Amino acid sequence: MSIRQNTATALLCALLALAGCKSNARSGHDGTEQTRPTAKALGTFSADSAYRYIAEQVAFGPRVPGSDGHKACRDYIVNSLRSFDADTVIVQEASVTAYDGTRLPIANIFAGYNTGQSKRVLLAAHWDTRPWADREDNDSTRNIPILGANDGASGVGVLLEIARNLALKKPSVGVDLLFVDAEDYGRSDGFDRHDDTWCLGSQYWAANMVPYSPENLPVYGILLDMVGGRNARFHYEDFSARNARSPTIKVWSEAEAMGYGDRFIRKVGGATIDDHIVLTRAGIPTTDIIELNNEQTYTFPPTWHTHDDNMDNIDRSSLKAVGETVLNVIYKEKPF
């Protein structure tokens, strides 16, 4: 994914902050705001399991479309979903053209749980990795594909652990998982001028929305991207806050109720080009859980698009905060 200049406004921040309940806030000894949990985890999300699913993806090497690692990871995701008793698993194969003319063989992977329910929620993540380390300072390693432990594998790892939970405890609504391909093959120069070079897999899926029709779209979506960084904090993403306000407030409110208010920050942290934009424009208002206002870089984590995006920089506590929050949101949904 790519990031744009921070476009947050004070008014938007204020409105979003007021939208959530703040009754469980208290002051810590250092003067910072802490959160007193008022909600229990409704699932059995295991950060260790999510971490293992990430490591197993990384073991395939870079997952650039067309590579051996890409093919192996596709089979791994599909087999994992089947082992977690998904009601349906669909692999949408296609060929798309990247901005440099390269033809990319892609596979969007869909799994449905509780498919008899008309009310559905969509969870999504991209599973491909960046074909270059364009943020590396070293010229000799800049053109080598990255492992993408955080940027790609972390969202997938959390979704697979959620799938394991869904097999153990059936939700009241339908829950669909979408693993989109070719998100990270976009141009790194002039992000604002080349939005459509990113998210090629979700663009293809939105044009061919297997298995949905305009009459049975999910009521909202949650995108997970770069959710495993060290001490990751997740601010509101600007496009999500403006165009998927309801699910954004829902997720951040639940995180706060669970005691993760120090992780899910009720302020707009910036805007990014990511799959949530494609999904929202396709009719599924989707919020993006992504670290885009890192305390060190003020944008993405320092490992972004570098060879430091490896297992050494994956944080189980970040995975736990995201996974438990999303599971609670799902399990609290009621049918129509």
Side-chain angles (χ1 to χ4, degrees):
M1 76 299 307
S2 65
I3 195 161
R4 293 177 173 174
Q5 184 179 1
N6 190 329
T7 60
T9 65
L11 177 60
L12 179 60
C13 292
L15 289 173
L16 289 166
L18 289 171
C21 174
K22 302 291 285 183
S23 61
N24 59 332
R26 59 185 172 84
S27 295
H29 295 300
D30 60 356
T32 60
E33 186 177 88
Q34 306 294 316
T35 307
R36 180 183 299 113
T38 61
K40 297 189 304 181
L42 300 178
T44 57
F45 186 90
S46 168
D48 288 336
S49 291
Y51 185 93
R52 184 175 72 253
Y53 301 145
I54 296 168
E56 288 171 346
Q57 293 172 78
V58 170
F60 297 129
R63 280 86 65 207
V64 179
S67 68
D68 290 341
H70 183 261
K71 296 172 185 175
C73 191
R74 182 191 70 169
D75 293 343
Y76 168 77
I77 295 172
V78 170
N79 292 335
S80 296
L81 293 168
R82 287 173 176 159
S83 74
F84 296 144
D85 298 327
D87 294 340
T88 182
V89 177
I90 300 170
V91 180
Q92 182 190 56
E93 296 183 292
S95 179
V96 297
T97 303
Y99 73 91
D100 60 0
T102 301
R103 292 294 291 175
L104 303 175
I106 67 166
N108 295 320
I109 304 166
F110 176 93
Y113 286 85
N114 205 12
T115 53
Q117 280 292 333
S118 58
K119 183 178 180 180
R120 312 200 64 76
V121 175
L122 178 67
L123 308 180
H126 79 89
W127 66 276
D128 63 303
T129 53
R130 186 72 168 156
W132 317 280
D134 44 285
R135 304 293 292 187
E136 281 285 342
D137 294 329
N138 189 339
D139 290 344
S140 65
T141 60
R142 195 172 294 149
N143 290 324
I144 299 174
I146 67 169
L147 288 174
N150 193 24
D151 194 359
S154 67
V156 173
V158 171
L159 288 192
L160 290 179
E161 175 58 9
I162 287 175
R164 186 189 69 82
N165 273 262
L166 297 177
L168 297 173
K169 180 181 178 181
K170 188 175 182 179
S172 298
V173 300
V175 178
D176 298 325
L177 308 181
L178 179 63
F179 303 82
V180 293
D181 204 351
E183 185 269 356
D184 230 345
Y185 211 101
R187 291 187 62 165
S188 58
D189 58 318
F191 290 133
D192 285 340
R193 300 188 302 276
H194 304 295
D195 292 15
D196 60 353
T197 68
W198 300 83
C199 308
L200 299 180
S202 58
Q203 288 187 58
Y204 183 88
W205 184 83
N208 307 271
M209 295 180 71
V210 176
Y212 302 134
S213 69
E215 292 74 34
N216 69 348
L217 294 179
V219 290
Y220 65 86
I222 303 172
L223 176 68
L224 279 58
D225 196 349
M226 294 199 296
V227 295
R230 290 190 178 277
N231 301 310
R233 300 193 311 158
F234 308 102
H235 292 70
Y236 294 134
E237 189 276 330
D238 187 73
F239 186 90
S240 304
R242 295 176 185 276
N243 299 286
R245 185 171 178 270
S246 178
T248 299
I249 295 300
K250 186 188 294 280
V251 171
W252 266 254
S253 296
E254 188 61 34
E256 187 174 62
M258 296 187 73
Y260 294 128
D262 60 335
R263 294 285 193 154
F264 284 75
I265 312 302
R266 289 182 173 278
K267 295 180 180 178
V268 176
T272 185
I273 302 166
D274 209 348
D275 294 303
H276 68 300
I277 294 179
V278 179
L279 298 177
T280 296
R281 289 175 176 167
I284 307 170
T286 301
T287 189
D288 195 359
I289 303 178
I290 183 171
E291 186 181 7
L292 47 55
N293 194 348
N294 179 271
E295 290 181 320
Q296 178 180 338
T297 65
Y298 302 106
T299 59
F300 292 143
T303 61
W304 175 58
H305 291 183
T306 74
H307 294 296
D308 287 329
D309 189 359
N310 54 41
M311 293 306 299
D312 291 340
N313 290 300
I314 295 297
D315 186 343
R316 287 176 175 83
S317 67
S318 299
L319 302 174
K320 181 179 177 67
V322 173
E324 286 193 343
T325 296
V326 174
L327 263 181
N328 262 35
V329 169
I330 290 169
Y331 281 135
K332 288 186 176 181
E333 283 293 340
K334 303 300 181 184
F336 289 130

